[in-house]
Every structure is written in structure tokens, then in C-alpha cells.
Amino acid sequence: MTFKFSIHLKCILILCLFITSVINAQPLVLSGRVLDENKQPLQSATVYLHETLQAGLTDSLGFFSLKGLSPGVYHLHVQLIGYEKISKWVNLKTDDVFIETELKESIGQLQEVVIEADRNKFSEKESSQPIIQVGKEYIRRNNGNTLMETLDRLPGVSSINTGVGVSKPVIRGLSFQRVLVADQGIKQEGQQWGADHGLEIDQYGVENIEIIKGPGSLLYGSDAIGGVISLGKPNILQEGTHLSESRLIYKTNNHTYGITSTAKGNKKGFVYQARVTGLSYGDYRVPSDTFYYQDTYFPLFGGRLKNTAGREVHSNLMLGVHRKWGYTHLTISNYHQKVGLFTGAIGRVTTDRLFQDGRRNIGLPFQQINHFKVISNTTLQLGKGWLESDLGYQHNDRQERSVPHTHGQPLPDNSTLALRLQLQSISAGLRYFVPKGHRHTLVFGAQLSQQNNRPSGFEFLLPSFSSTQLGIFMLHKYKPIDHLTIHIGARIETARQIADRSIFPFYRRFVFIDSVERNSRVARRYLNYAAAFGLSWDLTRRLHLKLNAAKSYRLPVVPELTANGMHHATFRFEKGNPNLEPEQGYQFDAEFKYQIGGLSMQYSPFLYYFSNYLFQRPTGLFPRVEIDGALYALPSTSQVFEHTQTKAQITGQEVQVEWAIGSGWKISQNMEWVWGENLSTGLPLPYMPPASYFSGLSWQSGKQRGKIRKLYFEANMGIISAQKRVERNEWSTPGYQMLHLSGGFSLYHKQEEIVQVSLQCRNATNTLYFNHLSRYRILNLPEPGVNFIVQLSWKLEKKHKAKS
Amino acid sequence: MKNFRIIILLGLFALASCNKDEDAAPQDTTRPVINSSTHLHGVIGGKINAGNKLEIHYKVSDNLGLKELKIDVHNNFDGHSHGRLAGTPYEWDTIIRLSGTLREDEIETWIPSTALAGPYHVGLFVTDAAGNQGNSFYLDFNLSNGSEPVINITAPANFGLGEIDMKPLDTLRLAGTATDPDQIEKVKIEVEEEGEHMRISSATDGEPLYKREFKISTHPSLFTDANTFQFANIINPGDLIKLPSVAPGTSKHFHVKIIVSDKLGNVRMREGELHVE
């Protein structure tokens, strides 16, 4: 904590210096005009400055103006639905600047204005990596049970679920600690290695998401080897505006009741946003009243999965100041979830344990997660360049409670606390953008993080540990010609991990035998580097190309080094290996985008090679301990899975076709395919998502007047192939087809959107299917049946006339 | 270079790697199997006496090569909750090293005469050399140590011996006693509808047809004394076992479970089948 404070102090110091230094400068005005390709003015285009988050809209003649700026270099983002986003480099010296911008028509993914989450101020197009941007409208219209379920139909993205309340991201077949989630620049730290440890993010509070498909180690360090899900800043209201918004949510399948409310505003550059979300759901239903597991049929009474109910309460408060020297935001949030696990998920499945105990009851086993987070984001003008800092503190408290199941070990207090993991993390990131002229952007950055994990409970899975990482990086963007952007960058990182030795008492038939070492002390130091080279090139007016080659790395996480116990999430007894080396990846990807008229086609192939991919190898041996020459079996129905490393390859591709056929109708086709192979055994890598194909037809009204607007409808048919390429002990999963329907509209009053209604029908045909990546796949449990989701939101907006 | 596929991405990507298989582990994903002829010797009518030898006769097979068999015997007194007990339930396990593709053998264990009486299960778990684990296999038995409760059902006459034919909406009237010199802790009676593939029908919405727990403190009229329970005394209309209606031309099967435990933690279970048409 002392470290964090000193950083804070320095920031405040720098802040004071700059306030005084810029206070005397004459405020400047950046104005301009936004036109289409035929030089016709575009109204209502959003313009905003990346550095100060100052935003504005163009008027009916396409003009905009942003006032009160100090001299410096800025990135101006311009975007309008139906047009390609662009980003312009602007240098304000001593005089006001006027710039004219042309927007190119586009029919890509973007259906709404999405604030850039990119840490480098590059637009999606300038980046050399495939990026998907998602805004709050998409999140609302596709609302799933979790954030990842909401996103998992995007090409290249899938999720690993435990029932309906817990899910984690998968990008191109990579997941767990291979996909990094960053919330406003701070890496989300919450036991990413575990299949049952979901992402602790309130999806109702997310307004902008950027998904980087492919390695992000250069900017984010370890764990971003497979991709990054970057949650951006909330949309900042215009000066003098206050807004409150509430939404009611109801889902039929598991009787979810939810409410989320937010209030936000901007008064003379002081911004605030507060949000509270509450959700309660019952057991979910599947289109079957039995399941078949280990040669036996088991009942699912009433088609309900016993004990899958849950409750969630999340809150968030953001306060900030926006000035011409930049801005600073402080965000405090808390995520709280209590969710039941299907009774058969821990211990032997027996019929007696499957009797219903009430739809909304949460009995044992269950998880209780509390994630507390404080994030501070600051952007400061330093000379003509900009300094950005992200500071974060997180406390992830995870409790796994189950019926004492210790086989002969007495429990003094008959506690149900099987495992509690308390992970505290401090992270700090600094980036400086060197002003270099519009052809060059140079970024220097440093990141420091410190972690401390403390386990407790009657089960042993991993020891207490601490780890520290320090990385520095450099990134250079070069535009030799207007249509070509080249990126080159490198990072070095040093890290240290210390895991304590763990000793547990070993009992046999309630008799103490001996103290047994579950893991020895582990102290590791690492030095790694990442490098990337990429380009983004407009080959012709219609054809755009992105290429990226990267060397990336991922440190082994402490559970991979030291685990020694039953991991109920995987039904496996896991054993770590303290000698594992950091995973090294050599990754190549490309994206071809061709646009003609209303037709847009995108093809993204990739090829990853890992010199030592870390995975769990089944040993065929049951866990045992040796005490004084005698062998004792440990209570486990699973063999030992040993963490080990192998040469591996992952390849695949995504194809996206979108065709605007006029009058608001659009056809979209998405295909994704991933192939992972363990090059030592020739076997597939574990848990690779099956190939999938989504075909959608949508319509949206373009009406600009009347009470009912933004009327939309979408039908989406998914064809998910069977996954027969499986690793040992993994079931192959049959293919299935899935129909999703959605629709909705907004009500307007005096040109203001006041009510939004959205309806969804997920799994409209109530298809019985299995999800290859679900934790419950091992139990052969089917996925949820038909689910109607109704959401009603209303907004109250208050605008004061801004004094100019 | 077995099974190593590369997609040539418009000639842009160089071949990333080209290594030979290091450990030539066969690409075996076929799981070993515990044959259904696996059974217990020394258990007669589902029952074995403490102080006797429990013989586990197993037959396991694999397509390429077996590795290990784990056998685990432990109690199943209260679901699988491993609650607190007055005495020590019997626990035993072993890991057997295997090789070859088929193994049929027997392993024995002596159950001490002091082991708590009650229902137990034997779990068998098998792996092969490639690390595939087969489906688990469970066998159940009742352990008797002479001091567990005695359940003597006098009516219906053939309870536990064969299916008892009954009519829809009939009342199942049990008669007889449960006795134990160490005092009866509780008597549990459960009637569950049997499903097509399952012991319990999922059509019942999870509620057993009948489920009652009787203790001397709550139901003194059912006990002659602390050591004797009288089934015929169940006359309170709310506690009678009433069978449901059954559509004409169809039939339903029910499973009756009587579980009696004594103050020492010994358990005795009796089961019977009903056929309602």
C-alpha cells in the first residue's frame, strides 16, 4: 500500500505543477466539419478527444467545436453509425485549428457509438490486430446470464460456463490465464486459472468493450497471450447534463428478477456515475427430465437443475474531474455473487441428492464471491505529450462451501468452508505518449503489479503465495504513407513468485497419521520478453489488410506450479510442477477486409505455435502419500492430473460476411474454426471450442420521428458442429442448432429517448444440447432450454445550457 | 509429423514448427471398462456380517493397456454426507497396479467385528496407461454387526421378497416391529416412484410419494418403549402410506425403504417393491 500511496502523491504533485503551468495559457478551440464521401455534411457525428474525453456532436451543417483546450497534440476520434470510425492527429500550437474530415460508409459490426478502449489511441482500423468493438446497445440487446454469455456469439469468442451464473472468456480456443480482462486498464485479478471461477464483472455497468483477438503480451504482459477483453471507460456526458437510467430485467428460464440503476452527470467538468445492480435467479431448466452419467440415468425433477439458483448485488461509483490539462477518474466498485452449484457437481452423483429443495434455495455446495476494486485513471499533459496512469487495488474473496467430505478427517467445527481464496492485487501502469508529428506515435510504458494470495478451508488446493511483476515496453507507430500504418514494439518483464510450503495433517479412519507436505516452498524468478510487428494497410479503396507477428509469453501461475489436491471444478486431482517454464508463443495473424457497396467480407486466419504449452496430463495413477514406507490412498475418485508442458500449435480462422440489402435489412454470416494440437502426442489440446456458424437476418427502422423509433428485429441461427477431436478424459460432444430471436424498440418524447424495450428468446426451439466447454459437460448435463428475456429501461435526462 | 496439419494462409505464414513426436504415446482416448460382472463375494442377500471377509471380484479391460484400479469401501449412512457418528464406520481402500488388456481377479478385506452396521458402498475406479479413466462402478452392501436394529415386517407378508401387488388409492399398512436393545434413534420410511431407467421417477417433481421420520420424542405413540417401534401403530391419517391413482391399463412401481438407526450409530435398512395396477 505504501507503494501505491507514493505513486498517488507523485501524481498529485505533477497534477499541481501542471495546473499552475497551463493556467496562464490562452484557451484554444478545435473546430471542424465532418462530411461524407460526396462532400455532404454529416449531422450528429460524435467527435471526442482521447486525451481529455471532451466530446461533441456535429450540427446540421456538419460543424463541431471543442473549446478551452491548451496547446498540445491530441487524438480526435470521429464516429457515426453507418460510417467507418476515424482517428485524427491534431497539433494545437498557438492558434485555433479547423479540420475537415471525411467519413467512409461502412456496414460493419458497429451499430452504435463505442468509445475507444484502446490504450494506444489507435483506431480499430489502424491497429494491426483483429479487434471487435462492442457498445452498451449490443450488450443490452444480447443480454445473456453473464457478460461472457452476452458476447459469446461474436466471431472468435466463446465462453466456459458453470451453469448460468458463472462464465469466463475464451478467445480462439485459449482461456483461463491465457485471456486477460482489463477494466479501465487494470487487469482483473480473480483466480483466472480455475474453470469454476467466473469473471467478476457486472455486465450492466459495462458500456464499451474492445476484444483483441490474438496476443496482447506486448502491452499487457503475461496472461494476454490469447487475447484481451478490454472494458473501456464509461461514456462521459456533455457538460451540464445529468442522467438517471433504470432497467428491469426478467428471464423466464430461471425466473431471474433484476434491476439496475445508474445516475451520472457532468457539472462544469466534475463527472460522477453511480450504479447499483441486483439480480436474483432460481434453478435453471433444461429440456430433459433425466441425465445419463456413468452408465446410469439420473432424474432431473421437473427438468430443473437442483441448486443452481443465485443472487448478485453489484455497486459502482465513479468520480472524476475533466480539465484542459487532462482528466482523472476514481472508480470504486464491488461485485458480490452467491451462486449454487448443481448438487452432483461435488462428490458422487446419487439420486438421493437430486431431490428438489425449492426453486430459489441456495444449498450446499455453493460459491460466494466478493470482488472489491478501486481504480484510478489519470491523463495529464506533460509538455506537448501526454502521460497516462492507471492504478488499481483489488481484493478477490472467493469461498467454496460444501458438505464436509473429508473421508476420515475430523473437522473441529463441522465447517462447510471447503476452500477460501483471498487474493489481493495492486497494479500500476504508466504510459507516456511522445509528441512526434502525425506520422509517428511513440509510447513508453511501465507496469508494476504485486499479488498476495491466502487460502483457507478444510480442503487443500494451492498454497499461499505472493508475486511481483515489473514490465517496461515501447511501441512505435509509423505512417510512411496515409494508407499504411506500421507498428513495432517490444517489452521486457521481470517477475518473482514465492509460494509457501504447505503442510496438512493426514488422517486415516479418524486417526492422525502424520503431517504431510502438500507442496514444497517455491521461489522463482523470470525474465521474459515480448515483441510484435504489424501493419494495417489500405491496399485499395475496397481492400484492407492487417498483418501481425508477435512473440509473447505467459508465466506459469502458482496453481500450475504447486497444486496438489482435488479440484472440484474439473473433477480432477491436480498436481503442480514447480519446474515449469514460462509459456512462449509465436503468433501470426492476418485480417483481410473487402467492402463493396453494402457488402462487407472479412477473413481472419491465425497460426500460433507454443514451444511449451502448459496443460494437465493424466498420469493414470491415483493420488497417494507415502508415510514411513507405507502407501496411503488419498480420498479421490480421480486419477492425478499433472501440470506439464508440450510443444503445441493452434490454428484457425474466422469469416464474417455482412450484407446490407436495403430498407434497414441486413444479412450476416459468421464462421469460426479452431484447431489445437499437442505436438508431442498428436492429440488435440484440451477443451477446444467446436467449429460454429451463425447466420443472422436483422431489420432496423431508420425512422427519425414519431413516438416509436429504433424498432428492430433479429433472427440468428447457429449451427455448432460436433467436437470429436478430444483429449483424454474429455467427452466428445454432438453438434446442435440453435435459434435466437430478439427485437425491441424505443419510445421518444420531444426528441429524447425515454424508454427502451428489448425482448429476446434464447434457444427458441427449446433444443436439448450440450456445450463442449461447460463445466457440467463432464456430468453430461444439458444446457438451458428456452429462455425469454424481457428488459425495460427508462431514462431521465436533465440538461443545463452550458455557459460558453 | 503425424497428424500435423498446417493451413497455408495465402503463403504469408512460414511453417511454424516441425518437430518429431517425442514420446510416442499412442493417441489412445478409449477408456478402460469395469465389466458389469464385477461383484462382491461373501455378501448374501445384500448383507455381510462384521468380522467376515469381504471379497471383491473384479473384471477390468482396456483396448491397449491397463494401469491402475482403485477400490474404496466406505459408508453411505446418510446419503453421502459423512455426518457425525457415535462409532467408527468401516473404511478401506487399495490401489492395484495392473498391466495387460484384461484382468479378472479377486481381492479381499476383513471387516473388523467392531465396524458400525449400516449401508456401505464399494467404489471401483480404473485407469489405462495413456491416462484414460473409465466410468466409476459402485456396489452396495449392508453390514451387520449383531447390534444393529432388527426389522421384522409381518405384513405385507412378502415384503422385501418380491413385488407386492396393490390397487390404486390403496393404503399400505405395515405391521411388525423394529427393535434394538441400545435404544432406537429414529425410524425413516420413504416411498418413491420408480422411473423407466431409474430408481426414482423424475415425473414426481422430486418429492418422494412418502417420507417420514419417527423419533420417540416426536411420535411416542409409535414406540412401545425406547427399544421397540411398532409399524402397526402408524394410524394417524396424516402418516398413512396412501398410494396414488393410476390411469386404467397402466401400472406404477414403488420402492419402499425402511431405515432404522440406534443410538450407537448402527443402521439397518429394509427395502420392498410395490406394483400398483
Side-chain angles (χ1 to χ4, degrees), chain B residues 80-135:
Chain B
H80 196 268
S81 66
H82 299 237
R84 213 138 271 276
L85 303 158
T88 311
Y90 177 56
E91 273 186 9
W92 179 79
D93 55 37
T94 187
I95 296 169
I96 302 164
R97 237 338 190 328
L98 304 172
S99 58
T101 56
L102 180 74
R103 175 81 162 264
E104 190 167 2
D105 209 341
E106 202 165 65
I107 189 160
E108 56 184 49
T109 165
W110 287 90
I111 302 172
S113 51
T114 52
L116 272 184
Y120 283 80
H121 56 224
V122 181
L124 292 99
F125 315 96
V126 67
T127 58
D128 72 11
N132 294 295
Q133 185 168 347
N135 280 349

Side-chain angles (χ1 to χ4, degrees), chain A residues 355-631:
Chain A
F355 290 127
Q356 294 293 357
D357 56 357
R359 174 168 285 160
R360 303 190 92 81
N361 169 63
I362 305 173
L364 296 169
F366 68 84
Q367 341 182 299
Q368 189 165 311
I369 293 109
N370 199 80
H371 194 102
F372 174 75
K373 197 160 56 178
V374 181
I375 295 175
S376 146
N377 302 106
T378 305
T379 293
L380 281 175
Q381 198 173 22
L382 201 65
K384 279 202 139 191
W386 295 88
L387 181 72
E388 294 187 0
S389 87
D390 303 313
L391 305 172
Y393 166 76
Q394 297 173 72
H395 183 194
N396 184 283
D397 184 358
R398 172 173 298 275
Q399 295 182 35
E400 307 280 343
R401 291 194 175 262
S402 62
V403 170
H405 198 277
T406 52
H407 296 260
Q409 176 186 330
L411 290 171
D413 49 357
N414 223 3
S415 162
T416 58
L417 184 61
L419 189 63
R420 182 174 189 181
L421 299 171
Q422 295 192 78
L423 178 68
Q424 297 195 71
S425 316
I426 294 173
S427 358
L430 274 181
R431 285 178 307 283
Y432 181 65
F433 293 79
V434 187
K436 275 280 195 185
H438 79 285
R439 296 227 177 263
H440 294 270
T441 301
L442 195 56
V443 188
F444 288 100
Q447 267 171 332
L448 179 70
S449 67
Q450 158 74 37
Q451 269 194 338
N452 201 332
N453 189 60
R454 205 154 41 85
S456 50
F458 61 77
E459 284 182 354
F460 177 81
L461 184 57
L462 70 156
S464 59
F465 67 82
S466 62
S467 71
T468 312
Q469 289 175 41
L470 173 66
I472 52 167
F473 66 89
M474 188 278 286
L475 183 66
H476 186 196
K477 183 181 87 171
Y478 174 48
K479 281 184 99 138
I481 49 170
D482 281 346
H483 297 300
L484 175 65
T485 312
I486 294 171
H487 304 256
I488 185 157
R491 177 192 190 97
I492 51 169
E493 187 168 279
T494 167
R496 205 165 75 120
Q497 288 171 333
I498 296 171
D500 296 347
R501 178 173 187 237
S502 304
I503 296 187
F504 251 54
F506 181 71
Y507 287 85
R508 186 75 170 178
R509 288 163 212 161
F510 300 97
V511 177
F512 174 77
I513 306 283
D514 203 353
S515 287
V516 178
E517 181 185 84
R518 296 301 282 264
N519 73 277
S520 56
R521 184 176 185 274
V522 175
R524 297 283 305 266
R525 273 177 194 282
Y526 307 94
L527 183 67
N528 283 289
Y529 78 97
F533 173 79
L535 56 87
S536 168
W537 194 0
D538 275 313
L539 288 170
T540 69
R541 244 189 87 228
R542 302 192 197 289
L543 182 64
H544 186 81
L545 168 70
K546 288 179 176 191
L547 285 177
N548 195 53
K551 148 76 178 62
S552 54
Y553 64 89
R554 173 178 83 78
L555 300 181
V557 290
V558 171
E560 288 171 316
L561 300 173
T562 61
N564 189 2
M566 191 64 203
H567 187 196
H568 290 295
T570 50
F571 297 78
R572 288 175 173 185
F573 191 100
E574 294 180 8
K575 189 153 182 12
N577 177 352
N579 301 316
L580 294 175
E581 288 302 319
E583 210 165 67
Q584 307 290 340
Y586 302 88
Q587 296 163 276
F588 306 91
D589 53 68
E591 183 181 272
F592 302 86
K593 190 173 181 180
Y594 187 75
Q595 266 191 294
I596 180 162
L599 184 68
S600 150
M601 290 177 287
Q602 211 167 309
Y603 173 63
S604 325
F606 62 94
L607 175 66
Y608 301 163
Y609 169 76
F610 299 97
S611 60
N612 59 330
Y613 187 86
L614 307 187
F615 78 113
Q616 292 172 24
R617 183 180 71 90
T619 58
L621 301 169
F622 289 97
R624 64 200 96 193
V625 288
E626 193 185 322
I627 299 168
D628 299 333
L631 280 180

Side-chain angles (χ1 to χ4, degrees), chain A residues 289-290 294-295 297-302 304 347-348 350-356 403-408 410-412 414 508-510 545 547-548 588-590 592 603 605-607 609 618-624 632-639 641 647 649 651-653 673 675 677 679-683 726-731, chain B residues 2-7 9-10 12-29 31 67-70 72 74 76 79-82 84 88-95 97 121 125-138 140 190 192 197-208 211 257:
Chain A
D289 60 5
T290 58
Q294 303 243 346
D295 306 322
Y297 282 92
F298 291 100
L300 293 171
F301 301 109
R304 272 158 51 199
R348 180 187 167 192
T350 59
T351 302
D352 307 313
R353 302 177 62 210
L354 298 174
F355 290 127
Q356 294 293 357
V403 170
H405 198 277
T406 52
H407 296 260
L411 290 171
N414 223 3
R508 186 75 170 178
R509 288 163 212 161
F510 300 97
L545 168 70
L547 285 177
N548 195 53
F588 306 91
D589 53 68
F592 302 86
Y603 173 63
F606 62 94
L607 175 66
Y609 169 76
T619 58
L621 301 169
F622 289 97
R624 64 200 96 193
Y632 297 92
L634 289 171
S636 159
T637 60
S638 160
Q639 59 173 312
F641 284 78
K647 290 190 171 76
Q649 177 186 291
T651 181
Q653 52 201 318
W673 177 80
W675 173 282
E677 187 169 307
L679 296 174
S680 307
T681 60
L683 285 165
V726 289
E727 163 66 308
R728 291 157 287 183
N729 302 299
E730 183 179 325
W731 299 113
Chain B
K2 204 165 21 177
N3 233 343
F4 180 34
R5 299 181 196 180
I6 286 238
I7 315 171
L9 307 166
L10 299 167
L12 285 164
F13 296 142
L15 199 85
S17 118
C18 180
N19 70 309
K20 291 279 171 210
D21 289 354
E22 282 156 3
D23 62 279
Q27 292 173 24
D28 176 25
T29 55
R31 295 169 191 239
K67 184 125 182 200
E68 280 193 350
L69 175 71
K70 177 176 176 177
D72 182 355
H74 66 268
N76 188 24
H80 196 268
S81 66
H82 299 237
R84 213 138 271 276
T88 311
Y90 177 56
E91 273 186 9
W92 179 79
D93 55 37
T94 187
I95 296 169
R97 237 338 190 328
H121 56 224
F125 315 96
V126 67
T127 58
D128 72 11
N132 294 295
Q133 185 168 347
N135 280 349
S136 313
F137 193 92
Y138 288 95
D140 296 321
E190 281 176 30
E192 292 154 347
H197 307 286
M198 297 170 292
R199 213 192 77 215
I200 299 177
S201 169
S202 57
T204 56
D205 204 26
E207 283 306 307
K211 187 177 182 177
K257 248 187 350 193

Side-chain angles (χ1 to χ4, degrees), chain B residues 147-165:
Chain B
S147 82
E148 76 273 17
V150 174
I151 304 172
N152 180 23
I153 302 289
T154 52
N158 58 339
F159 184 86
L161 300 174
E163 277 195 347
I164 302 161
D165 288 319

